[in-house]
Amino acid sequence: MSQRIAVIAGDGIGPEVIAEAMLVLEQLRRERGLVIDVWELPLGAERYLRDGTTFPRELRDEVRATCSAVLLGAVGDPRVPSGEHAHDILMGMRLEWDLYANVRPIRALTDALVPLRGKSKADVNCVIYRENTEGQYVAAGHERGRDGPDEIAMSREVHTRRGVERLLRAAFEHARRHRMPLVMTDKSNAIPAQAIWRRVLAELKPEYPEIATEQLYVDALAARLIEAPERHGVIAASNLFGDILADLGAALAGGLGLAPSANLHPALPGHIGLFEPVHGSAPDIAGKGIANPLGAIRSLGMLLAHLGHGDAAERVERAATEVLERKRSTPDTGGTLGTAAAGAAFREILAGS
Ligand code: NAD
Ligand code: IPM
Ligand code: MN
């Protein structure tokens, strides 16, 4: 049976890295007989500046109805300071499709890319379960007296029992499947509302007696991730903390250019998923042809696993490891290749694997 995915290349380096991921998919389709139709959606800053289109609801509904997954490059463009199109595209999918778990693996593929003294790739292998629909990301910003001496900018954060519980459950289930410890992080010492995370964790814990579970304030966790990354398995966090820890984790595992992610609704198998590199549109290097395509390619790997092609996903991870070991990669990971050459090197190694 054929499967269908939608692809949004987006802004900045998005189209550069997605082009390489698409060539990888093409190769897997050819070699492995994967029957996956690709629907490319011309959305992003370019389109928004041309005709005001962000992500029309009818189109989003059609994607939801006809596709198993979406692969996204990145959105965000200095020419659109309001970020309106980026918000509608990214949050449109995360919120409207209720993709409450943002799964961001922190897995170092080679020793050389682990930046910590005395640590190797065996020490950096954990995963962030980031709550993806609530927290400080709910649209409730407010300001008063803009630019005046009494200006007040306000925002609120929202954590619902249902939202916290389903995210923690997904994190616990991952910990169970992979026999990992779980740490939940919050900042309830300064923001009392966040204590709901501690209470719900305590309620769920008896259901997972075999899992070593702890809670750590997010500032302490940030430090411990650097000092002892090997102590971590699953990290469950609210939306904002998960976002920050994901970039920190990407740096621990070799850099932002490598990190993949999935936005899922784990309680409903078969629900549409959104897959995207952790990095953004990187305007500082856009158009230079030096962006690392591996974050996008590994996100495609996660997408393939979601579609039931676990063997293809594993091959992608092995080939990514090999290109890095052989330094057939972009400058951010110690290589000298441009984006297209790094993509070609990846496909050559994939073909021989
Ligand atoms: P960024 O992730 O785009 O870039 C941070 C740094 O990492 C930059 O120095 C960049 O050059 C480098 N980098 C990122 N990806 C790389 C790659 N593949 N290869 C090599 N180097 C890479 O973060 P930012 O600069 O804070 O954000 C830029 C724009 O992207 C903003 O508009 C932001 O809102 C948006 N953004 C979008 C997403 C998304 O679409 N999911 C994610 C993060 C940021
Ligand atoms: C990410 C990004 C987004 C987020 C931005 C672009 C809104 O940083 O996907 O990590 O904060 O979720
Ligand atoms: Mn981020």
Side-chain angles (χ1 to χ4, degrees), residues 186-195 198 216-220:
D186 64 70
K187 190 65 193 169
S188 56
N189 50 350
I191 305 169
Q194 293 194 7
R198 296 191 164 222
L216 222 54
Y217 295 123
V218 67
D219 44 358

Short mmCIF file of all heavy atoms in Angstrom, two decimals, residues 186-195 198 216-220:
data_model
loop_
_atom_site.label_atom_id
_atom_site.label_comp_id
_atom_site.label_asym_id
_atom_site.label_seq_id
_atom_site.Cartn_x
_atom_site.Cartn_y
_atom_site.Cartn_z
N ASP A 186 11.35 21.01 36.27
CA ASP A 186 10.42 22.12 36.37
C ASP A 186 11.12 23.26 37.11
O ASP A 186 12.32 23.17 37.41
CB ASP A 186 9.15 21.70 37.12
CG ASP A 186 9.45 21.33 38.56
OD1 ASP A 186 9.77 22.22 39.38
OD2 ASP A 186 9.42 20.13 38.88
N LYS A 187 10.38 24.30 37.41
CA LYS A 187 10.95 25.43 38.15
C LYS A 187 9.91 25.86 39.18
O LYS A 187 9.61 27.07 39.31
CB LYS A 187 11.33 26.54 37.16
CG LYS A 187 12.14 27.67 37.71
CD LYS A 187 13.54 27.31 38.17
CE LYS A 187 14.11 28.46 38.97
NZ LYS A 187 15.35 28.15 39.69
N SER A 188 9.36 24.89 39.90
CA SER A 188 8.26 25.18 40.81
C SER A 188 8.72 25.94 42.06
O SER A 188 7.90 26.48 42.79
CB SER A 188 7.53 23.90 41.21
OG SER A 188 8.44 22.99 41.79
N ASN A 189 10.03 25.99 42.29
CA ASN A 189 10.51 26.79 43.43
C ASN A 189 10.30 28.28 43.18
O ASN A 189 10.11 29.06 44.10
CB ASN A 189 11.97 26.46 43.77
CG ASN A 189 12.89 26.52 42.55
OD1 ASN A 189 12.43 26.61 41.42
ND2 ASN A 189 14.19 26.46 42.79
N ALA A 190 10.31 28.68 41.91
CA ALA A 190 10.09 30.10 41.60
C ALA A 190 8.70 30.35 41.02
O ALA A 190 8.16 31.45 41.15
CB ALA A 190 11.14 30.57 40.59
N ILE A 191 8.15 29.33 40.35
CA ILE A 191 6.86 29.50 39.67
C ILE A 191 5.92 28.42 40.23
O ILE A 191 5.88 27.30 39.72
CB ILE A 191 7.04 29.33 38.14
CG1 ILE A 191 8.12 30.31 37.63
CG2 ILE A 191 5.72 29.57 37.41
CD1 ILE A 191 8.58 30.07 36.21
N PRO A 192 5.19 28.76 41.29
CA PRO A 192 4.42 27.74 42.00
C PRO A 192 3.48 26.94 41.11
O PRO A 192 3.26 25.75 41.36
CB PRO A 192 3.66 28.55 43.05
CG PRO A 192 4.49 29.77 43.27
CD PRO A 192 5.13 30.09 41.95
N ALA A 193 2.93 27.57 40.07
CA ALA A 193 1.98 26.83 39.22
C ALA A 193 2.63 25.56 38.65
O ALA A 193 1.96 24.57 38.36
CB ALA A 193 1.49 27.72 38.09
N GLN A 194 3.94 25.60 38.49
CA GLN A 194 4.61 24.44 37.88
C GLN A 194 4.66 23.22 38.80
O GLN A 194 5.06 22.15 38.38
CB GLN A 194 6.01 24.83 37.41
CG GLN A 194 5.98 25.83 36.26
CD GLN A 194 7.31 25.96 35.55
OE1 GLN A 194 8.24 25.21 35.83
NE2 GLN A 194 7.41 26.90 34.65
N ALA A 195 4.23 23.40 40.04
CA ALA A 195 4.21 22.25 40.95
C ALA A 195 3.26 21.16 40.46
O ALA A 195 3.36 20.01 40.88
CB ALA A 195 3.82 22.69 42.36
N ARG A 198 5.11 18.18 39.45
CA ARG A 198 5.57 17.29 40.53
C ARG A 198 4.43 16.42 41.04
O ARG A 198 4.61 15.24 41.34
CB ARG A 198 6.17 18.11 41.68
CG ARG A 198 7.41 18.85 41.20
CD ARG A 198 8.23 19.48 42.27
NE ARG A 198 9.51 19.76 41.64
CZ ARG A 198 10.70 19.55 42.19
NH1 ARG A 198 10.78 19.12 43.42
NH2 ARG A 198 11.81 19.80 41.52
N LEU A 216 14.09 17.28 39.10
CA LEU A 216 15.21 18.19 39.27
C LEU A 216 14.77 19.56 38.75
O LEU A 216 14.12 19.64 37.70
CB LEU A 216 16.37 17.67 38.40
CG LEU A 216 17.79 17.68 38.93
CD1 LEU A 216 17.90 16.97 40.26
CD2 LEU A 216 18.72 17.01 37.92
N TYR A 217 15.14 20.62 39.47
CA TYR A 217 14.86 21.94 38.93
C TYR A 217 15.67 22.12 37.65
O TYR A 217 16.76 21.58 37.50
CB TYR A 217 15.20 23.02 39.95
CG TYR A 217 14.32 22.95 41.19
CD1 TYR A 217 14.89 22.83 42.45
CD2 TYR A 217 12.94 22.99 41.06
CE1 TYR A 217 14.07 22.75 43.59
CE2 TYR A 217 12.13 22.92 42.18
CZ TYR A 217 12.69 22.79 43.44
OH TYR A 217 11.88 22.69 44.54
N VAL A 218 15.13 22.91 36.75
CA VAL A 218 15.71 22.95 35.40
C VAL A 218 17.12 23.56 35.40
O VAL A 218 17.97 23.18 34.58
CB VAL A 218 14.76 23.66 34.41
CG1 VAL A 218 14.62 25.14 34.73
CG2 VAL A 218 15.19 23.43 32.98
N ASP A 219 17.38 24.47 36.31
CA ASP A 219 18.74 25.04 36.34
C ASP A 219 19.75 23.97 36.77
O ASP A 219 20.83 23.82 36.18
CB ASP A 219 18.81 26.29 37.26
CG ASP A 219 18.08 26.13 38.58
OD1 ASP A 219 17.46 25.08 38.82
OD2 ASP A 219 18.15 27.07 39.40
N ALA A 220 19.37 23.17 37.76
CA ALA A 220 20.27 22.10 38.21
C ALA A 220 20.43 21.03 37.12
O ALA A 220 21.53 20.49 36.92
CB ALA A 220 19.73 21.47 39.48
#
